[in-house]
Amino acid sequence: MTAAAVLVGITLPAAADAATTAPTPTAASAGAYDDTYYQDALGKTGPELKSALHTIISDQTKLSYDQVWDALKVTDEDPANSGNVILLYTGRSQSKDSNGGDPDQWNREHVWAKSHGDFGTATGPGTDIHHLRPEDVSVNSTRGNKDFDNGGSAVGEAPGNNTDADSFEPRDAVKGDVARMILYMAVRYDGEDGFADLEPNDKVDNGSAPAIGRLSVLKQWSDEDPPDTFEKNRNQAIYDQFQHNRNPFVDHPEWVGAIW
């Protein structure tokens, strides 16, 4: 740890997989909303399921980009330390108050890179906290707008993560989280509301196209890293306190294969 890291109130968890540690579950079980929230999606597959889910999750409260700061302090709170948040890629527990632009502070990572579809930080996809997560400023910069795939060289400041010229591989404990956030965005934003139609594809180096890959890898990650308590509680907090919509792939991860 550098002196600068100490000054911003960083504490390291016992293991890099800190995001898998969570308090007593408060999130509803997977089927708790089937008779109400998801009733119009049940029994459907493929494009019909995707369309039904789009209609359901598009009914949401939208946040401003400034409001995202405070929302993430709730949704990504460290269950072992209420004064900290868990950073997505590093797994580090860091003071909620150390957000900003310095290299060892945390900022707002757009998991669906905002240049993929050129939506920036506009209210809508640019402020949707289902895919916005706290992350170390310099690690966020390392990820940049790269697509997701396996392989690359180790990210020194974020053990377990790898990167190369056109892709980023997150640590094992959040691979599924990343996949489900990407697929949420593809269902939620389909060309309406003045924004691009976001879709996953099976390639990398997508540039500014409204696409992110690699879909086959994202599906594998979702299968191998199912939703844990931290991710489920995060989904519940977004629904209860902020956007009032849900990530259906956290509640029903089997719907990934039913659509793609």
Side-chain angles (χ1 to χ4, degrees):
M1 295 296 290
T2 65
V6 174
L7 287 174
V8 294
I10 297 169
T11 59
L12 286 173
D17 290 353
T20 62
T21 303
T24 302
T26 58
S29 62
Y33 289 89
D34 284 359
D35 293 335
T36 53
Y37 190 74
Y38 292 122
Q39 61 179 338
D40 292 337
L42 298 182
K44 295 183 169 88
T45 60
E48 288 188 350
L49 175 58
K50 185 182 179 188
S51 177
L53 291 175
H54 168 75
T55 299
I56 292 167
I57 67 178
S58 294
D59 184 7
Q60 71 179 99
T61 298
K62 297 177 182 179
L63 306 182
S64 71
Y65 200 45
D66 282 342
Q67 289 174 316
V68 168
W69 285 119
D70 289 333
L72 295 184
K73 293 176 183 180
V74 175
T75 61
D76 291 77
E77 181 179 296
D78 182 351
N81 184 343
S82 62
N84 286 12
V85 291
I86 297 289
L87 308 190
L88 176 63
Y89 302 131
T90 66
R92 191 169 71 216
S93 178
Q94 182 155 328
S95 171
K96 291 177 178 179
D97 295 330
S98 70
N99 59 302
D102 293 339
D104 287 314
Q105 290 183 306
W106 64 268
N107 62 3
R108 297 158 291 188
E109 154 71 339
H110 292 75
V111 176
W112 185 293
K114 58 183 181 287
S115 63
H116 289 236
D118 196 30
F119 53 75
T121 59
T123 299
T127 64
D128 194 316
I129 56 176
H130 276 296
H131 86 115
L132 287 164
R133 301 291 294 266
E135 187 47 60
D136 176 272
V137 170
S138 55
V139 174
N140 193 347
S141 179
T142 297
R143 188 265 159 140
N145 69 347
K146 296 173 183 175
D147 294 81
F148 293 102
D149 198 1
N150 291 314
S153 302
V155 178
E157 197 174 354
N161 297 259
N162 299 290
T163 193
D164 57 23
D166 55 20
S167 69
F168 190 88
E169 177 186 359
R171 60 194 177 98
D172 289 347
V174 296
K175 279 186 165 81
D177 308 51
V178 166
R180 288 180 285 274
M181 286 185 278
I182 292 294
L183 299 177
Y184 162 88
M185 292 291 284
V187 171
R188 171 60 186 88
Y189 300 99
D190 69 349
E192 299 174 355
D193 303 329
F195 298 108
D197 182 3
L198 306 183
E199 289 293 340
N201 61 19
D202 208 38
K203 64 180 185 178
V204 295
D205 202 16
N206 277 292
S208 62
I212 281 185
R214 188 178 300 270
L215 177 59
S216 58
V217 172
L218 293 170
K219 290 173 63 179
Q220 177 186 359
W221 289 354
S222 184
D223 286 342
E224 294 178 351
D225 175 36
D228 60 16
T229 305
F230 187 93
E231 187 181 3
K232 291 176 183 177
N233 285 347
R234 186 177 197 277
N235 194 33
Q236 192 68 39
I238 293 172
Y239 179 73
D240 288 339
Q241 301 181 50
F242 299 103
Q243 294 185 177
H244 311 297
N245 70 339
R246 305 182 69 82
N247 183 335
F249 305 113
V250 176
D251 294 324
H252 284 281
E254 72 277 8
W255 282 345
V256 172
I259 295 175
W260 289 281

